[in-house]
Amino acid sequence: FRFKDSLAEDMGRADLVISHAGAGSCLEALEKGKPLVVVINEKLMNNHQLELAKRLHRDGHVLCCNCSTLVETLQSMDLSALKPFPPGQPEKFAVFLDEVSGVQ
C-alpha cells in the first residue's frame, strides 16, 4: 500500500505478515498472533531497526531477513517454530512510574 489509515483489518485476515522492522508494525502483528517475517532495511541511517529485529528473532518470535534473502526465507520458513509473543503488562510500567515519581 502507498498509504492506508490502518492495516488492522488486513492484518486480522492475514495468514502471514511481512513487514519492515518498525516497532509499531512488529508489535501490532505479534499482538494479533500473526506469524511475522521481518525484512530489515539495511539502507537506513544507523540501521535502527536491526536491534529490534535481531532481538525478536533471537527470542523466537519472528523470522528475520533482508531484501536479498526474502525469497529464500519464504521458501524455507517453518512457521511452527515461532513462539507466541507474550502479552504486554502495562500495569508494571504504571507501578514503575508511580515509584519513580513518588505518587502514592
Side-chain angles (χ1 to χ4, degrees):
F1 304 102
R2 285 181 162 256
F3 176 78
K4 196 168 187 180
D5 287 333
S6 173
L7 295 175
E9 187 177 314
D10 300 290
M11 252 190 225
R13 291 191 314 259
D15 294 322
L16 172 70
V17 175
I18 301 172
S19 176
H20 72 138
S25 300
C26 289
L27 292 176
E28 185 174 359
L30 291 170
E31 287 171 352
K32 290 186 182 308
K34 300 299 177 172
L36 177 61
V37 175
V38 175
V39 182
I40 299 166
N41 182 350
E42 296 172 323
K43 295 181 180 180
L44 288 177
M45 182 185 294
N46 298 324
N47 205 357
H48 63 279
Q49 295 182 357
L50 183 60
E51 185 177 346
L52 174 62
K54 281 188 170 185
R55 179 58 189 251
L56 291 172
H57 178 71
R58 186 173 54 242
D59 291 348
H61 302 298
V62 305
L63 298 174
C64 189
C65 64
N66 57 39
C67 290
S68 63
T69 61
L70 176 59
V71 171
E72 178 185 332
T73 299
L74 293 174
Q75 290 173 336
S76 65
M77 66 185 179
D78 177 9
L79 298 178
S80 68
L82 294 177
K83 298 176 185 174
F85 191 72
Q89 296 177 318
E91 64 280 356
K92 286 187 176 183
F93 185 65
V95 169
F96 170 76
L97 282 180
D98 288 347
E99 289 173 0
V100 171
S101 64
V103 174
Q104 304 269 336

